[in-house]
Amino acid sequence: KAGVTQTPRYLIKTRGQQVTLSCSPISGHRSVSWYQQTPGQGLQFLFEYFSETQRNKGNFPGRFSGRQFSNSRSEMNVSTLELGDSALYLCASSPTGASYNEQFFGPGTRLTVL
Amino acid sequence: DQQVKQNSPSLSVQEGRISILNCDYTNSMFDYFLWYKKYPAEGPTFLISISSIKDKNEDGRFTVFLNKSAKHLSLHIVPSQPGDSAVYFCAASDGATDSWGKLQFGAGTQVVVTP
């Protein structure tokens, strides 16, 4: 079974630009969660999607948005990039979102904002 | 507001010895706790978990202890091996249906196992 894939793996953008990151979950998984990892802050929850609906949202500004498609693939978008948005963005998929033992993370997308 | 705290950013331990990683939480609604291990350039991988109805869970070399009254959990790795060198994250969930898919993570502890 293929794991969670994230594209692109690395991205360099400049302040003010926007970016779209993609996450393809494990086949059969309907829940996709997104996290931001920065040094010293651990992983901060961004949002979770289940069956194309945003079910949960973390404390991030409206510049951070996401969506999920009918095949469970998910994208997140960050508009008007700021230097502080430089981070590793991780997505995780699970069958329903209820069982964390069945949650698997992708390798992440490293975003650098210059 | 960091509800899950790992106060030791790093830990160095000799191969064969015990590694003890600590984690504190503030939210008394948390009822499920997990430890993840993360290597560079990879996503976190699930290691071990514990429900609030238990105070100990063991899986091979890994044991997690939960002290609900102190809102504290710890991960013991015995014996430590060089392949255990990684960042370890503590995470928690309150189990509510409207929290599904959402975990609160600590900042992580970098473990280095020396020969």
Side-chain angles (χ1 to χ4, degrees), chain B:
Chain B
D1 177 32
Q2 198 82 2
Q3 298 184 50
V4 178
K5 297 177 185 178
Q6 294 176 257
N7 293 319
S8 298
S10 64
L11 173 70
S12 182
V13 63
Q14 271 191 317
E15 183 178 359
R17 298 290 191 103
I18 182 172
S19 294
I20 300 177
L21 290 79
N22 294 302
C23 178
D24 296 294
Y25 61 95
T26 57
N27 188 342
S28 58
M29 298 302 292
F30 287 150
D31 66 354
Y32 196 74
F33 304 89
L34 307 93
W35 285 94
Y36 286 84
K37 177 178 179 179
K38 185 179 184 300
Y39 293 117
E42 294 182 14
T45 55
F46 168 75
L47 199 55
I48 192 169
S49 63
I50 187 165
S51 163
S52 61
I53 62 173
K54 294 186 172 183
D55 54 18
K56 176 182 173 182
N57 189 26
E58 213 169 335
D59 184 2
R61 297 186 297 113
F62 302 92
T63 303
V64 57
F65 296 92
L66 176 63
N67 182 333
K68 289 187 291 293
S69 60
K71 295 193 179 69
H72 177 84
L73 64 156
S74 62
L75 174 68
H76 292 207
I77 307 174
V78 185
S80 299
Q81 299 174 353
D84 296 332
S85 296
V87 177
Y88 290 78
F89 291 98
C90 170
S93 168
D94 62 19
T97 54
D98 61 357
S99 292
W100 285 0
K102 174 182 177 179
L103 287 171
Q104 299 280 358
F105 280 84
T109 297
Q110 172 75 61
V111 172
V112 175
V113 180
T114 57

Side-chain angles (χ1 to χ4, degrees), chain A residues 57-86:
Chain A
K57 191 175 190 311
N59 296 324
F60 279 81
R63 302 185 295 107
F64 292 81
S65 63
R67 58 178 175 168
Q68 186 179 36
F69 302 94
S70 58
N71 62 358
S72 293
R73 189 178 71 85
S74 178
E75 288 182 347
M76 67 163 280
N77 184 276
V78 188
S79 62
T80 319
L81 284 166
E82 301 177 358
L83 295 179
D85 297 333
S86 294

